[in-house]
Amino acid sequence: VEQHGVVDGIYRLSGVSSNIQRLRQEFEAERCPTLQRDIYLQDIHCVSSLCKAYCRELPNPLLTYQLYHKFADAVATQMEEARLGKIKEVLKELPLPHYR
């Protein structure tokens, strides 16, 4: 995405709905879509839109409901170095599939 798109705002802008659905169908058919195809390079936002949709639709978020308060506390830490240390500690508590 970052190699073929304008990085500023690339994850905020939505792709064309039909391209997002086409890409979703390719993944759901258990194929690994070729993201180098012109249709995806011309609408690189459809790739980031599908990634965001995937994360939104997970039954348990990547940063899990169980660790929500620990992440919130870590992010609220004022000193950047301490904040990063606390976030890393909470990340170690994630279930392995979420951590990967």
Side-chain angles (χ1 to χ4, degrees):
V1 170
E2 292 176 5
Q3 182 180 0
H4 296 286
V6 177
V7 177
D8 279 350
I10 189 79
Y11 298 101
R12 287 183 309 192
L13 300 174
S14 292
V16 175
S17 183
S18 59
N19 292 343
I20 297 167
Q21 290 308 317
R22 181 179 292 120
L23 187 58
R24 179 188 296 262
Q25 289 171 353
E26 287 189 44
F27 274 110
E28 287 176 353
E30 296 187 29
R31 293 188 303 229
C32 184
T34 303
L35 299 178
Q36 301 297 324
R37 291 176 49 200
D38 283 343
I39 190 167
Y40 302 132
L41 291 177
Q42 291 171 2
D43 180 25
I44 198 66
H45 301 289
C46 74
V47 177
S48 58
S49 293
L50 184 60
C51 288
K52 290 188 295 186
Y54 173 80
C55 290
R56 270 194 310 271
E57 294 168 8
L58 289 171
N60 193 9
L62 286 177
L63 302 181
T64 73
Y65 293 121
Q66 296 79 6
L67 295 173
Y68 175 82
H69 292 294
K70 289 185 178 185
F71 276 113
D73 290 343
V75 171
T77 303
Q78 294 299 313
M79 301 294 291
E80 184 177 1
E81 191 173 323
R83 180 175 50 244
L84 291 175
K86 288 182 177 186
I87 291 170
K88 287 178 183 180
E89 289 302 312
V90 180
L91 287 172
K92 291 177 186 176
E93 295 182 43
L94 285 170
L96 190 56
H98 292 247
Y99 184 82
R100 278 191 233 139

